[in-house]
Amino acid sequence: MSTFQFYANAQTEFKPPLIANNNAFLGDVFSSQDHSPETPISAGFYRLAPGPELVYTYTYDEMKIIVDGDFQISQPDEKAEGGVKSVDAKRGDVFFFPKGAVITFKTRQGGLAWYCGQRKRDGA
């Protein structure tokens, strides 16, 4: 029988590992990989502290919600003014990043986001 999983106080207790630039942290809290190995989804927290921007090319589809702080999220877009689509993201904003998107993440004060991606555990 399959049962749900629970992580109490995850937003404050879970500490994602460093992934880049001494200021970008990302870690999966849960994954469906063991239950659905053919079509796994993985979810967790992404934290960015002030410092260098992070440019990331998505190899999977992902949803992200900003849960705290701020992010400046941008990507090249020939249809946008100046050739760049950009959003000043804040708490409560939700994003969809399709496979193949090249996204730049920056922050002024620091930010925390929850993500859910169609990928294997620790496959970011």
Side-chain angles (χ1 to χ4, degrees):
M1 178 175 152
S2 296
T3 62
F4 71 84
Q5 297 177 21
F6 174 71
Y7 193 126
N9 300 310
Q11 184 173 338
T12 55
E13 300 292 324
F14 182 78
K15 303 299 182 207
L18 180 68
I19 59 164
N21 302 335
N22 291 323
N23 70 326
F25 303 81
L26 183 138
D28 293 343
V29 175
F30 293 120
S31 177
S32 69
Q33 182 174 327
D34 295 337
H35 180 72
S36 301
E38 304 289 320
T39 56
I41 58 171
S42 297
F45 288 103
Y46 169 57
R47 183 169 63 86
L48 187 64
E53 65 186 29
L54 177 70
V55 179
Y56 187 76
T57 302
Y58 280 87
T59 59
Y60 51 90
D61 291 336
E62 182 181 273
M63 306 284 185
K64 191 179 297 288
I65 183 169
I66 310 306
V67 295
D68 198 19
D70 72 276
F71 288 90
Q72 294 78 50
I73 298 174
S74 61
Q75 83 174 118
D77 183 346
E78 60 190 37
K79 296 177 185 176
E81 185 176 325
V84 176
K85 182 177 185 177
S86 184
V87 173
D88 286 327
K90 61 188 180 319
R91 185 178 181 189
D93 291 347
V94 176
F95 293 84
F96 168 63
F97 303 117
K99 181 178 180 178
V102 179
I103 305 296
T104 299
F105 295 92
K106 295 189 264 187
T107 185
R108 291 180 190 91
Q109 305 285 327
L112 180 68
W114 173 260
Y115 62 83
C116 184
Q118 190 170 17
R119 61 168 174 76
K120 293 180 178 181
R121 180 185 306 110
D122 300 325

